Amino acid sequence: MKKSLNILHFFILFSLLLLSPDFSYAGHDLTVSDDCPCAHSINEMVKAYNNNKTFKMLVDKAFKNMKNTPASYRKDGNPWLGKSFDDLIPFFEKWCTFLPEAQGSSDNGLKYIEQMDLFAYRNPLGSAVFQTSPGLELFDNFSAERGQFLNSKKSTKYVSEWLSDVRIEKDQYYLPDPDAKDGGFKSYNQFFSRRFKNIEEARPQTMPERDYIISAPTDAIVNTIPAEIIDENTLIPTKGTQKLNIREMLANSKYWKNFVGGTAMSCILMPNTYHHYHAPVGGKVIETRLIKGSLLGMKDFPEFVPTNGNVGYHGASFGAFESYQRGYFIIDTGKYGLVGVVPVGLSTVGSVVFEKKFLQSDKPVEVKRGEELGHFLYGRSLVILFFEPNRYKSGAIKVRLGNQIGIFDTDSNN
């Protein structure tokens, strides 16, 4: 419902903008060479800009409406200020074959993702460009072609550098060819979605026999979500609004009402971490679904991904994820009620993958805490957990003696 209303809102906005007296129409002769793996999708963007007056007008208005980022967030500010469509096409061309590199204790995996999300920074027109037709389909096609490149052997260029960083802990992972510098991986996506050789040894579950323990679903930055879980649509979210539309997040699942008034927790994955996600609780998976949605459009990237690295921190808005590509699992724990597990593919991640047994069964499927539910391919991703009212007080995260609470921000190779 919310998504359809947003699209209606954008349609009305388009209609008003069409009457704008400063709108002019001129074609652009921008062509991307066939050498680029994303040539077809990028050239289709050029065609749409040249032939679809509404799309061209929206793009041009989005550029005119760019907002600068906070002075303390990004040295050069919003990279789209003063730019135009002529700058967008070479950006996509470079992004198509971009490969993340390890940089000390961090990496540059969010380089283009950050810039593309800043295109929509507090800019409803920027969000609308790639969240409504034809931009939505155009970016889906670009993402698919970039995904094909990341599935190719050419995408393994920097894998050997990643494996040389001790934080990757390559000794714990299955490597197709342990003697090869690149581990024998056939593509970057194969490296990105690597599996542990022995997950019980690499990531043992805390007291697996205790049913009251909630485990992290993956390696992640974990934060509680202070938002009130509601059932009504928030059509005009504003800064400071703390509401999470569970009905939209679960795409009208018959179980969404169970979580109204409940609590939530975010588990945000970063590009250099393990990208399979697991059951945080045991029980029976009683419903699953994959939901197609947008791949871009976070309206406040600097607030969600602050420079201190505490992604999704207390007070960050999660409303945008009600329309992103995602899936969900509803797990019935029995005496602790239902738990919702929502893997979300952010910023170009259209690959929220489920283990087949959870999609193919027409009856409840038994699941143990720690059992794999699925995985992501390259991009930025998160898993949101939902709990029924009075089942889990979503406050400070509780850890036990010896559990990891952080990693030093130093280059251990020096």
Side-chain angles (χ1 to χ4, degrees):
M1 178 66 175
K2 178 180 178 182
K3 187 176 180 183
S4 62
L5 286 172
N6 278 340
I7 292 175
L8 177 60
H9 174 72
F10 287 139
F11 176 78
I12 295 171
L13 188 60
F14 293 171
S15 300
L16 293 173
L17 287 172
L18 281 172
L19 302 176
S20 176
D22 64 344
F23 172 69
S24 61
Y25 185 76
H28 278 57
D29 186 19
L30 298 171
T31 306
V32 174
S33 167
D34 289 340
D35 294 339
C36 174
C38 306
H40 177 74
S41 61
I42 298 174
N43 286 330
E44 286 298 309
M45 289 186 196
V46 177
K47 288 181 183 178
Y49 185 79
N50 286 337
N51 299 318
N52 186 318
K53 292 183 179 181
T54 302
F55 181 66
K56 171 180 165 43
M57 174 206 59
L58 180 59
V59 171
D60 291 345
K61 291 287 185 181
F63 275 109
K64 289 182 179 180
N65 196 44
M66 290 296 164
K67 304 292 190 301
N68 208 354
T69 56
S72 60
Y73 178 73
R74 200 172 189 273
K75 179 181 177 182
D76 300 321
N78 192 330
W80 298 109
L81 283 170
K83 300 293 181 65
S84 69
F85 182 77
D86 288 354
D87 301 290
L88 193 60
I89 296 307
F91 170 84
F92 274 113
E93 187 174 5
K94 291 177 183 177
W95 188 6
C96 177
T97 54
F98 167 72
L99 295 168
E101 298 177 71
Q103 297 179 338
S105 58
S106 186
D107 60 80
N108 67 346
L110 297 180
K111 178 180 178 180
Y112 284 86
I113 289 174
E114 176 197 37
Q115 291 183 59
M116 199 66 250
D117 269 322
L118 290 179
F119 187 83
Y121 176 62
R122 299 188 179 181
N123 184 355
L125 296 170
S127 296
V129 169
F130 294 111
Q131 284 198 6
T132 58
S133 189
L136 179 64
E137 294 80 12
L138 291 169
F139 190 81
D140 277 352
N141 292 338
F142 169 79
S143 182
E145 288 186 333
R146 172 159 164 74
Q148 290 173 8
F149 168 72
L150 292 172
N151 283 328
S152 71
K153 185 62 180 177
K154 289 182 179 180
S155 67
T156 61
K157 182 177 179 180
Y158 300 121
V159 169
S160 59
E161 293 181 14
W162 282 95
L163 291 175
S164 68
D165 191 317
V166 295
R167 292 175 195 79
I168 291 295
E169 300 165 342
K170 70 177 183 179
D171 56 304
Q172 295 189 332
Y173 289 94
Y174 167 74
L175 305 180
D177 182 358
D179 296 325
K181 287 186 176 181
D182 64 2
F185 290 104
K186 307 273 185 220
S187 68
Y188 184 81
N189 264 337
Q190 187 185 22
F191 161 72
F192 187 80
S193 59
R194 61 196 179 279
R195 293 179 179 273
F196 290 117
K197 288 185 290 189
N198 184 337
I199 194 166
E200 286 78 14
E201 180 181 298
R203 298 294 186 271
Q205 290 292 309
T206 299
M207 296 187 291
E209 74 284 356
R210 307 292 176 92
D211 63 4
Y212 55 79
I213 290 176
I214 303 167
S215 294
T218 187
D219 292 357
I221 296 173
V222 179
N223 274 295
T224 59
I225 302 176
E228 174 191 0
I229 297 180
I230 62 168
D231 63 342
E232 62 205 58
N233 292 314
T234 306
L235 298 180
I236 309 175
T238 58
K239 185 174 176 61
T241 297
Q242 286 297 299
K243 294 181 178 179
L244 193 59
N245 192 326
I246 190 66
R247 182 175 186 173
E248 290 297 327
M249 188 70 80
L250 296 181
N252 287 308
S253 162
K254 62 183 178 181
Y255 296 108
W256 70 266
K257 290 184 180 179
N258 290 70
F259 301 103
V260 173
T263 54
M265 179 187 296
S266 70
C267 306
I268 301 172
L269 296 77
M270 300 306 286
N272 62 341
T273 59
Y274 175 71
H275 267 71
H276 296 252
Y277 51 92
H278 298 247
V281 294
K284 294 181 179 179
V285 175
I286 58 175
E287 185 175 279
T288 60
R289 183 180 172 189
L290 285 168
I291 307 160
K292 183 175 176 58
S294 58
L295 296 172
L296 285 173
M298 187 180 294
K299 70 183 181 68
D300 204 340
F301 187 90
E303 188 170 292
F304 194 80
V305 188
T307 54
N308 64 11
N310 191 10
V311 185
Y313 69 106
H314 182 95
S317 172
F318 286 80
F321 308 141
E322 293 154 15
S323 61
Y324 270 92
Q325 291 201 1
R326 62 200 185 281
Y328 68 78
F329 297 79
I330 305 296
I331 301 176
D332 186 350
T333 69
K335 61 183 177 181
Y336 301 112
L338 303 185
V339 173
V341 180
V342 183
V344 183
L346 305 179
S347 300
T348 78
V349 182
S351 52
V352 179
V353 182
F354 283 14
E355 288 294 294
K356 290 182 179 179
K357 76 173 191 176
F358 297 113
L359 282 178
Q360 296 177 342
S361 179
D362 57 359
K363 58 184 180 180
V365 179
E366 293 281 349
V367 65
K368 293 182 179 180
R369 175 160 57 90
E371 184 176 348
E372 183 176 345
L373 299 177
H375 68 274
F376 298 99
L377 296 184
Y378 172 68
R380 184 160 48 86
S381 320
L382 83 155
V383 178
I384 301 179
L385 307 182
F386 292 104
F387 304 91
E388 291 189 46
N390 304 314
R391 299 293 186 176
Y392 169 68
K393 293 181 180 179
S394 186
I397 305 301
K398 297 179 180 178
V399 298
R400 293 178 183 269
L401 173 67
N403 291 159
Q404 175 182 305
I405 60 172
I407 296 176
F408 282 115
D409 293 325
T410 59
D411 186 349
S412 61
N413 293 320
N414 289 337

